[in-house]
Amino acid sequence: MKRETLPSSSLTPWSKLNDVTFNGVKIIYSEDKGFSVVVERSIPLESTVENERGPLMVVPFDLLLSAKAVEGHAKLDRDFGALFEAVGDLGKATLDAKMNRLEAEFDHIRDSTASIPWCQRLWWNEESDQQLALDDWILVDAWYRSRALSFPATGDAMVPCIDMMNHTPGEKTNAYFDRDSDENAIISLPKGKSFQAGDEVTISYGDAKSASETLFSYGFIDPNKEFTPNLILDIEIPEDDPLKKAKEAVATVGAAIRISYDGQATQSQSLYIWLACVNEEDGMEFQVLQTNDGQRELKAFFKGNDITEDTTKLFELMTTDPLCEVFRLRAATLAQARVQEQLQLLDESHGFVEQAAQGEGISDAARSSAFRLRTLETALLQQAERDLESKKTSAYQSEAVQRYLGLLAEEPAMDVVDPQTEPDDFS
């Protein structure tokens, strides 16, 4: 599609025309950092008490591009409303499926809007210079991911001018974004921050985001991190599980493990893995029942409890079961095996990645970021492998596991375990 762009010098008059307020700050451009927001005069420590001098920036509510704003516009504009209704909710997907998802979304948009006259005339007419292509949709996705911020009461939204602000992590962040009483987007200073004229004002894009997400969405990785904050791995029910197909058919949770790091240890969390590690002899049962209209329906039960509609219930049932520690041992074993598989994949692909990184057109920055990402993910996975080994040892030494394996001579009555506070954590 042919796109018209405005020079950066248009931002100031555009801001004035649209009632964007700057209070002692301005937007500048530099070759090394691109756009950034800096203070125009010194702000001493004693004057940065929260809300004492008002927000540094105010962007009117009408300029926020959010799901709520899109829905509102669809009600007012008949043509856009037809487009909105045809396309519907595109949903979300994991980073690993990024290109497949974008291609599927683009195909969905094309198929859904081909019968809308103005879309056919402007977007899908081969003779039009406005014809949409997959690259256009990829660009829109990149704009959104690199600009959207999560605002209170609004959710994810693109906010002009505020989207010029750069990210700094943790205590280095010296400002925050919020909403005022009129639902405008604002930038304010927290307590205890002072500035010299020319200092940059920064916000946080989210310190909990993984290294792959910040690289994919914003094009950088925090250079000070030793671990990526989290990592999501896909998992599968073992092939030798006779209930594999039935479990996959009833699963209402994602087949993934989320590994996170809190600065001291890793946590491996997954609801799906509980489904993967329970067997028929444990009380897992599947039945094919006939409905009132004559249809056949697969139903799942754990010790007589129907979990078909919500397999997340399985976690509570298994963690209040006398064999809870046995299930924890199995879960930790499955998770560790998946972590080891990913570490092996990273190790075996190192040479290929090194060779590919030397390809024509790959910048030094992109090459460095790619290897930095592999280093951070490897460090997290290695720590997770060690932590899961400790969890396996702890579960193995429990009385429940020892009795289950027949290693204890006596079989005292087993206490019921209380539910855990983290419903998706098998640590």
Side-chain angles (χ1 to χ4, degrees), residues 236-252 272 275-276 278 284-288 298-300 311:
E236 294 184 355
I237 295 171
E239 290 294 334
D240 59 357
D241 186 340
L243 300 178
K244 175 181 171 68
K245 291 188 179 299
K247 289 178 178 180
E248 291 174 340
V250 301
T252 59
Y272 191 85
L275 186 62
V278 65
M284 191 71 189
E285 180 185 5
F286 291 93
Q287 299 178 14
V288 178
L298 180 65
K299 305 283 284 187
T311 49

Side-chain angles (χ1 to χ4, degrees), residues 108-390:
H108 172 65
I109 292 172
R110 183 178 54 208
D111 295 341
S112 301
T113 62
S115 60
I116 299 176
W118 70 268
C119 293
Q120 173 60 37
R121 184 177 69 256
L122 296 177
W123 290 356
W124 313 122
N125 183 356
E126 295 182 358
E127 297 179 359
S128 170
D129 60 0
Q130 297 298 314
Q131 184 181 14
L132 284 180
L134 175 60
D135 286 347
D136 297 311
W137 185 243
I138 293 174
L139 180 60
V140 169
D141 181 80
W143 282 340
Y144 174 78
R145 290 187 176 276
S146 63
R147 295 288 188 270
L149 298 171
S150 183
F151 278 80
T154 300
D156 292 344
M158 296 174 68
V159 186
C161 298
I162 289 180
D163 63 11
M164 298 293 184
M165 300 185 71
N166 290 317
H167 163 86
T168 49
E171 295 181 356
K172 294 181 180 179
T173 303
N174 55 28
Y176 64 93
F177 53 89
D178 203 347
R179 299 283 299 279
D180 64 13
S181 58
D182 295 322
E183 298 190 334
N184 302 316
I186 62 173
I187 293 295
S188 297
L189 295 176
K191 297 179 180 179
K193 296 291 184 181
S194 61
F195 295 84
Q196 299 296 319
D199 285 351
E200 183 177 8
V201 184
T202 60
I203 56 176
S204 172
Y205 295 170
D207 289 340
K209 292 181 177 179
S210 68
S212 61
E213 184 177 0
T214 58
L215 181 59
F216 167 45
S217 297
Y218 310 116
F220 68 84
I221 297 176
D222 184 352
N224 299 313
K225 288 188 181 297
E226 296 181 4
F227 293 85
T228 176
N230 56 75
L231 176 66
I232 296 177
L233 298 177
D234 62 302
I235 57 172
E236 294 184 355
I237 295 171
E239 290 294 334
D240 59 357
D241 186 340
L243 300 178
K244 175 181 171 68
K245 291 188 179 299
K247 289 178 178 180
E248 291 174 340
V250 301
T252 59
V253 293
I257 305 174
R258 184 180 188 273
I259 302 171
S260 58
Y261 181 68
D262 62 8
Q264 296 182 331
T266 61
Q267 297 294 327
S268 300
Q269 298 173 313
S270 173
L271 284 169
Y272 191 85
I273 208 165
W274 290 91
L275 186 62
C277 70
V278 65
N279 302 316
E280 189 173 10
E281 59 268 26
D282 303 318
M284 191 71 189
E285 180 185 5
F286 291 93
Q287 299 178 14
V288 178
L289 304 179
Q290 185 169 322
T291 61
N292 293 332
D293 59 0
Q295 300 296 317
R296 295 167 68 84
E297 181 182 17
L298 180 65
K299 305 283 284 187
F301 301 86
F302 180 71
K303 294 191 173 180
N305 297 280
D306 189 348
I307 61 170
T308 308
E309 299 299 324
D310 184 8
T311 49
T312 62
K313 295 178 182 177
L314 184 62
F315 171 83
E316 182 177 349
L317 294 170
M318 292 176 70
T319 52
T320 57
D321 191 271
L323 292 179
C324 172
E325 290 303 318
V326 176
F327 300 143
R328 289 188 183 281
L329 176 59
R330 293 178 189 170
T333 301
L334 285 175
Q336 187 185 50
R338 180 64 184 92
V339 167
Q340 291 170 340
E341 178 187 8
Q342 191 68 18
L343 281 169
Q344 182 178 357
L345 178 63
L346 285 169
D347 181 63
E348 292 177 349
S349 63
H350 184 75
F352 169 79
V353 174
E354 274 196 329
Q355 183 178 3
Q358 303 305 318
E360 185 178 352
I362 299 179
S363 67
D364 290 342
R367 186 179 302 109
S368 176
S369 294
F371 286 112
R372 175 71 174 153
L373 177 61
R374 290 172 63 86
T375 298
L376 293 177
E377 291 188 342
T378 297
L380 178 67
L381 290 168
Q382 289 174 338
Q383 183 63 48
E385 182 183 25
R386 293 190 291 268
D387 291 340
L388 286 166
E389 183 64 32
S390 297

